[in-house]
Amino acid sequence: MPHNHPPHRDFLNIADFSPAETFALLNLAERMRTGAYDRKPLAGKALAMIFMKSSTRTRVSFEVGVTQLGGTAHFLSPRDVQLGRGEPIADTARVLDRYVHGIMIRTFAHADVETLAEYAKVPIINGLTDLSHPCQILADVLTIQQHLGDVRGKTVAWIGDGNNMANSWIEAAAHLGFTLKLACPEGYDPDDTFLRAGLSSGMVLLLRDPREAAAGADVVTTDVWASMGQEEEQAKRALAFALYQVDAPLMALAAPQAIFLHCLPAHRGEEVTAEVLDGPQSVVWDEAENRLHIQKAIMAALMGNEAL
C-alpha cells in the first residue's frame, strides 16, 4: 500500500543535503547527463506535480525525468487541486501521500511547501517558491562544473534582484565553497536570514556596483527584473535596475573563460542583451537541459533509494 512509506527526506532548500551528499548528487546527475546511468529506480512509482505557478522547464523536465527513471508523473494545476479552492494544504498532503511516492510543488509561499512537508509522508521537492529555487541552483552548479570544472574556489557574480534565485545562490556558496558577489540595487536585497548566514560564512559579498561584482568572475548570472506576481512593479523596477543590465562591456570585466547563466525565461534588452544571451559565453541552453539531469538525481535519491 502506498501509505506505508518508509522514513523519507525532503528537498526544500540547498542545505537539506550535506555538502558531501550534494557533490554526490552532482556526480550522479553528470552520469545521467553523459548517458552512463541507465537504472530505473522509479519503476512503479508516481510523482504528483502541483503547479500553483505556471512553468515550461520545471514541468517538462520533471515529467520527462520521472518517465526516464521508470515512473509516472501527474500534473496538477490550481484547477486540478482543491488548494485553489481552500482545502488546507495539510489535508491535500495527507491525501496525496496515499496515492504517490513523491510530491513536487511550484508555488508562491515557502510556508506552503513546509506545511506540505510536515504532513506528507513522502518526499517533497521544492520546484520553486518565492523564497528559494534549489533545483535551479543545483542545475546551475552542474553547468558550471560541466564547463569550468570543480565549482569549489570559483567566483560567481549575481547581477540584479535579490530574489529566490539569489537566496539559493547565497545558500549554495556557503555550502559548496565558492565565492558569490551579489550586485543588487538598494531596496532589492536578498532575504535577510539567507543574507546574514551568507555574509557570516565569508563566501558572500553584497555590493551595489555590478562592475565590481563582475570583475574577474568565472560566472556571471542574472534573472528577470520582475518575477511572476510582480508585473505591476515593472516600471518601478525598470528604473531601479537600469544600471544592472548584463551587456558585453560588463561580461568583458569577467575572467576570459567566464560563462553566462540565466534560469530563463529571459527578456532580451532588459536584464541581459541579446548579444550576451545568444553569444559565445552563454551556456543557458545547457543550463536548461541540466534541470532534467539534476532533478533526476534528486528523485533517484529521495524516491528511488539511490545511494549518495
Side-chain angles (χ1 to χ4, degrees):
M1 294 291 290
H3 61 273
N4 293 332
H5 295 297
H8 72 279
R9 298 177 64 178
D10 303 307
F11 183 56
L12 308 189
N13 283 308
I14 297 286
D16 287 345
F17 288 105
S18 71
E21 288 172 329
T22 306
F23 281 111
L25 260 187
L26 289 160
N27 289 338
L28 177 59
E30 179 63 13
R31 286 171 56 213
M32 291 170 165
R33 187 183 75 80
T34 58
Y37 182 96
D38 61 359
R39 296 186 57 218
K40 305 285 184 193
L42 300 190
K45 296 189 175 180
L47 176 76
M49 308 188 308
I50 301 173
F51 281 88
M52 306 308 284
K53 275 187 170 184
S54 60
S55 166
T56 305
R57 278 151 292 275
T58 300
R59 177 177 178 177
V60 177
S61 58
F62 269 106
E63 280 186 352
V64 171
V66 171
T67 306
Q68 288 180 355
L69 295 178
T72 58
H74 304 272
F75 173 78
L76 302 166
S77 76
R79 293 186 301 277
D80 303 314
V81 289
Q82 302 301 323
L83 287 176
R85 289 188 287 277
E87 179 172 39
I89 287 172
D91 293 0
T92 299
R94 287 181 288 209
V95 169
L96 282 178
D97 79 18
R98 302 294 179 112
Y99 303 144
V100 301
H101 304 83
I103 302 168
M104 188 285 300
I105 182 167
R106 181 181 173 90
T107 191
F108 295 88
H110 194 78
D112 289 353
V113 182
E114 294 175 331
T115 302
L116 197 61
E118 183 182 347
Y119 287 94
K121 294 183 173 66
V122 295
I124 306 300
I125 299 170
N126 174 7
L128 173 142
T129 67
D130 287 349
L131 184 69
S132 64
H133 199 357
C135 291
Q136 179 68 59
I137 296 303
L138 289 190
D140 291 2
V141 173
L142 182 62
T143 311
I144 293 169
Q145 297 204 150
Q146 176 185 345
H147 287 275
L148 301 177
D150 196 333
V151 74
R152 284 169 282 202
K154 297 287 190 290
T155 299
V156 175
W158 173 264
I159 312 294
D161 193 14
N163 62 8
N164 50 5
M165 284 287 292
N167 294 335
S168 289
W169 270 118
I170 290 167
E171 195 179 20
H175 198 61
L176 300 179
F178 59 88
T179 299
L180 177 68
K181 298 195 290 183
L182 297 147
C184 307
E186 293 272 2
Y188 295 93
D189 287 351
D191 174 80
D192 198 49
T193 304
F194 279 89
L195 185 58
R196 277 203 310 258
L199 294 173
S200 69
S201 76
M203 305 306 289
V204 176
L205 296 165
L206 180 62
L207 309 166
R208 296 295 171 215
D209 186 348
R211 292 164 301 186
E212 192 181 346
D218 301 293
V219 180
V220 178
T221 183
T222 188
D223 194 4
V224 295
W225 290 339
S227 298
M228 267 185 272
Q230 298 173 334
E231 287 79 6
E232 72 287 348
E233 297 179 32
Q234 185 80 43
K236 176 175 161 238
R237 283 173 167 265
L239 281 173
F241 290 98
L243 300 176
Y244 289 78
Q245 183 183 73
V246 179
D247 56 13
L250 191 72
M251 282 301 295
L253 298 172
Q257 83 289 359
I259 58 173
F260 173 76
L261 296 175
H262 191 306
C263 62
L264 303 177
H267 297 153
R268 290 170 176 82
E270 289 183 24
E271 74 276 2
V272 61
T273 60
E275 183 182 8
V276 170
L277 188 74
D278 300 315
Q281 289 173 283
S282 172
V283 293
V284 299
W285 314 116
D286 288 343
E287 177 188 5
E289 178 190 327
N290 283 334
R291 286 290 300 278
L292 171 65
H293 307 309
I294 198 68
Q295 287 160 191
K296 283 172 66 178
I298 291 164
M299 290 187 290
L302 294 184
M303 296 167 61
N305 303 314
E306 185 69 57
L308 291 180

